[in-house]
Amino acid sequence: MDGATTPTTTPILILLGPPGAGKGTQARKLEEGFGLIQLSTGDLLRAAVKDGTEAGRAAEAVMKAGGLVSDDIVLAILTDRLAQEDCARGVVLDGFPRTTAQAEALDAMLAERGQGIRAVISLEVDDEAMVKRVSGRFTCGTCGEGFHEEFKPTAITGVCDACGSRNMTRRADDNAETARSRLEAYTEQTAPLVAYYDARGTLARVDAMGDIDAIGAQINQIVSGA
Ligand code: AMP
């Protein structure tokens, strides 16, 4: 990342892909590898739901049904987070933008600040595999490590391999039925963003069906060269 291709000094990366494509996993790797801040609108919304804020109360039912929360709420939450000091280090956007309106709002926000998007990485996966991936996953509530019943089980049932905690959590929307609705929302409202960014010359496609570390290595190459 030498900053030669865009006017920004703050690296801004976007991970695009359907639910279960590995956006969160790869965003965490980028956070570790490049010192970027992972900015997940899903995480921010889940925190708002948990805290019972006005935005959280408005978003809760939509999230449970697997639909998309309104652009207004998501943009407000994202703008607040982006304004925090740590984001000046650079951010990896995970789960945002999800609609053309959000992408345009981000473009406008960055143009105002004289910043640009460093790279948009599209994680390309097979739709049906996604439902299976999403419905089997769980996370360590203490350290954030992700697991999967079939593809990445813990060595000892219920105990986190990374930190030893027994605090395993499962997202309320990680079930087969909601996963299908989330996939539909992706296909209808988010997939067009692949063409949106391709037309702007910022898109890189990565086959995201394989090994997590191999996918991470490909992403690192893209980010290092961008
Ligand atoms: P995620 O953690 O990215 O899978 O997001 C979980 C849920 O939060 C989604 O199914 C949506 O209901 C909501 N959500 C997250 N990000 C956005 C966004 N950028 N726009 C609209 N809804 C979002």
Side-chain angles (χ1 to χ4, degrees):
M1 293 192 295
D2 59 8
T5 50
T6 67
T8 182
T9 50
T10 303
I12 293 170
L13 305 175
I14 294 176
L15 291 181
L16 272 183
K23 298 185 298 293
T25 304
Q26 297 300 338
R28 275 164 57 90
K29 281 174 142 333
L30 285 167
E31 199 170 47
E32 285 161 22
F34 292 92
L36 302 173
I37 297 292
Q38 174 189 8
L39 232 163
S40 151
T41 40
D43 283 348
L44 294 172
L45 287 165
R46 278 184 287 280
V49 170
K50 199 170 162 211
D51 294 346
T53 65
E54 202 183 324
R57 288 198 301 275
E60 190 170 12
V62 181
M63 292 171 77
K64 265 203 183 120
L68 291 189
V69 174
S70 77
D71 291 331
D72 287 353
I73 291 179
V74 173
L75 283 165
I77 256 178
L78 181 90
T79 311
D80 276 0
R81 181 64 188 91
L82 265 178
Q84 287 171 20
E85 215 180 299
D86 58 345
C87 289
R89 270 194 266 156
V91 296
V92 45
L93 295 172
D94 152 16
F96 180 93
R98 257 177 161 99
T99 63
T100 304
Q102 290 178 14
E104 288 170 351
L106 179 66
D107 282 347
M109 194 193 302
L110 296 179
E112 216 169 81
R113 301 176 184 186
Q115 295 182 330
I117 294 164
R118 190 65 62 88
V120 180
I121 297 161
S122 171
L123 300 178
E124 316 245 308
V125 288
D126 160 26
D127 280 5
E128 269 317 299
M130 290 310 93
V131 175
K132 208 171 170 194
R133 267 202 202 176
V134 164
S135 39
R137 67 185 182 182
F138 55 97
T139 305
C140 173
T142 304
C143 74
E145 185 74 10
F147 297 95
H148 190 282
E149 283 162 6
E150 190 180 334
F151 309 126
K152 192 187 165 190
T154 52
I156 304 166
T157 308
V159 179
C160 176
D161 292 357
C163 77
S165 150
R166 289 183 172 271
N167 179 24
M168 291 301 179
T169 61
R170 201 180 272 266
R171 278 171 48 173
D173 59 352
D174 274 352
N175 57 72
E177 197 192 336
T178 311
R180 287 204 185 280
S181 306
R182 288 161 64 201
L183 202 52
E184 263 175 45
Y186 177 81
T187 308
E188 283 166 18
Q189 297 180 73
T190 310
L193 294 183
V194 173
Y196 178 96
Y197 288 115
D198 203 12
R200 284 160 178 74
T202 41
L203 189 82
R205 296 171 194 266
V206 169
D207 176 357
M209 286 306 291
D211 174 70
I212 290 174
D213 288 334
I215 297 163
Q218 278 188 67
I219 293 177
N220 283 353
Q221 256 189 354
I222 294 165
V223 174
S224 303

